[in-house]
Amino acid sequence: MKVAFTTLGCRVNQYETEAMTEKFIKAGYNIVDFNEYADIYVINTCTVTNMGDKKSRQMIGRARRINNKSVIAVAGCYSQVAPDKVAKIPGVDVVIGTKNKGQIVELVKRSVDEKRQIVDVRDVLKNSVFEELNIEEYQDRTRAFLKIQDGCNSFCSYCLIPFARGPVCSKSPEKVLDEVKKLAQHGFKEIILSGIQISSYGVDLQGDWGLVKILEEIDKVDGIERVRIGSIGPRFFTEDVIQRVSKLNKLCTHFHLSLQSGCDEILKRMNRHYTAKEYKKIVESLRKNILDVSITTDIIVGFPGETDEEFKETYKFLKDIKLSKMHIFKYSPREGTRAASMNDQIDGNIKEERSNKLIELNKINEKEFMNKFIGDKVKVLYDQPYNDKEGYYEGYTPNYIKVISKCNEDITGKILDTTVVKVEEGFSEGIII
């Protein structure tokens, strides 16, 4: 039996897809590419935006076209918040949410044996236990994702994730460290700690466990050379936290510090609990205490009621602060959120115009950041060949600059000193020393 997977959305979803893949492999199934003929298709969905929902439906349709007799299983955030809608899509045989992905093989088998649709979506708002969905045999031997946290307690006015993932729950520190050691034994150079609201790691645990403490303990594990953390709320970085993380040897100097808007009035309407001034102060402290730190962010344009003046305020803020990369999103109303029922929804053409302005600003800021490293020696973890171009490999510096270099031997999985010689759009070109 052949199984194909596709994943939409965040690093947590990527981790969970890999865990589900491993369960099918252990049960004797063969894994094939999603565009190939398969007996079973698993779509791990996202619902952060309307586009995520749309892409999820498109993937279901694609699977049905490739093999209209296949078993189609839909998992993840979209099926969690809209199980009835997903169940009505033609061809869907199994619908699960975000908390029982570990039973995917059994649920697919039940659907086949009983010749009926299985819908098993549980109430995540009552969940308080971290679901163990571990990976024992990773396909990629360069870097590994490690999910240490799930759920979100923030309830931003535009976001459905707390309803899709439930409240914060954390993986026990003992299990985190055991898994890190196992990854080190398997030869991984880099691990990426992921979570839905990773800065809240430990708030549900006894003792003084938090994200900083688990990072300090991971820093002591032999074998792992790099540790990255996923998107993080700016208020995590108090002065004490900045001083502690600046002393860590393995923590990569790249932080995705979610902003969403540079206008305080918009931040209030978003229920974000910080001001643009506070955000700027945190960025300045990180830059002061951590050499060559890269700070990236997410921005939403066209939030309900966003005036021209409010957008200009955001634009000026971002122009002044010069973050190394920005991901720009046009506001997408999500049914069930407060923002969806707010007055003054913004016209799509205005969203497009504002988005384009920030995309152009991002290109300027990103290139300016990377240009600072021309002529410098940097350490690059090369993880794969570049675009199947013979002799070229791509990798990342600790501060997440993409570097392309030429080498006569396979350097996949190696950390090599590299001199940055040129900056292209979106990446740098290097020469291995």
Side-chain angles (χ1 to χ4, degrees), residues 403-428:
V403 179
I404 311 299
S405 297
K406 188 175 183 179
C407 191
N408 294 327
E409 61 179 280
D410 188 350
I411 53 173
T412 303
K414 294 182 179 180
I415 297 177
L416 299 174
D417 287 334
T418 305
T419 299
V420 177
V421 294
K422 187 168 64 173
V423 169
E424 303 287 348
E425 189 172 311
F427 68 88
S428 296

Side-chain angles (χ1 to χ4, degrees), residues 12 81 84 119 135 147 155 261 301 313 325 349 358 363 371 373 426:
V12 170
V81 299
D84 294 339
V119 179
I135 303 170
K147 178 185 168 186
F155 290 93
S261 175
V301 297
E313 195 175 328
K325 190 175 183 66
N349 292 328
L358 289 185
K363 290 178 182 177
N371 275 337
F373 298 93

Side-chain angles (χ1 to χ4, degrees), residues 20 24 39-45 60 70-76 79-80 83 86-97 100-101 103-121:
M20 289 191 287
F24 274 101
D39 303 288
I40 301 160
Y41 291 91
V42 180
I43 296 107
N44 197 4
T45 62
I60 295 167
S70 65
V71 175
I72 297 177
V74 184
S79 50
Q80 179 67 48
V86 173
K88 289 176 183 176
I89 299 174
V92 172
D93 300 286
V94 178
V95 183
I96 62 174
N100 54 339
K101 292 178 180 177
Q103 278 132 30
I104 181 74
V105 176
E106 291 84 355
L107 292 171
V108 166
K109 191 173 184 304
R110 266 184 61 198
S111 176
V112 172
D113 291 345
E114 298 174 15
K115 295 181 173 58
R116 68 181 181 91
Q117 185 184 66
I118 303 289
V119 179
D120 189 356
V121 177

Side-chain angles (χ1 to χ4, degrees), residues 1-3 21-31 105:
M1 296 283 282
K2 296 178 180 178
V3 187
T21 301
E22 184 173 279
K23 290 187 179 299
F24 274 101
I25 291 171
K26 287 189 170 182
Y29 294 80
N30 295 314
I31 309 302
V105 176

Side-chain angles (χ1 to χ4, degrees), residues 142-194:
T142 303
R143 57 171 57 89
F145 292 103
L146 174 53
K147 178 185 168 186
I148 66 169
Q149 181 273 336
D150 205 342
C152 180
N153 295 340
S154 289
F155 290 93
C156 298
S157 64
Y158 54 83
C159 186
L160 273 175
I161 293 303
F163 303 98
R165 288 282 178 172
V168 167
C169 47
S170 308
K171 190 180 186 78
S172 75
E174 295 80 13
K175 289 181 178 177
V176 171
L177 293 171
D178 283 346
E179 200 159 345
V180 170
K181 290 170 185 174
K182 187 187 298 181
L183 292 170
Q185 290 166 4
H186 279 73
F188 288 96
K189 295 286 200 311
E190 178 178 305
I191 58 170
I192 303 167
L193 301 183
S194 61

Side-chain angles (χ1 to χ4, degrees), residues 11 36 112 272 275 277 281 297 305 377:
R11 286 174 171 175
E36 294 181 29
V112 172
R272 290 295 290 175
T275 65
K277 184 178 179 180
K281 185 179 178 182
T297 200
K377 182 175 75 174

Side-chain angles (χ1 to χ4, degrees), residues 294-310:
S294 168
I295 299 167
T296 58
T297 200
D298 297 322
I299 300 292
I300 296 174
V301 297
F303 190 75
E306 184 183 59
T307 64
D308 286 340
E309 288 305 312
E310 287 173 333

Side-chain angles (χ1 to χ4, degrees), residues 18 80 100 154 211 235 237 311 345 351 364 374 385 397 426:
E18 192 150 0
Q80 179 67 48
N100 54 339
S154 289
L211 182 57
R235 294 182 72 189
F237 283 109
F311 173 72
Q345 298 287 326
K351 292 180 190 177
I364 295 168
I374 292 178
T397 63

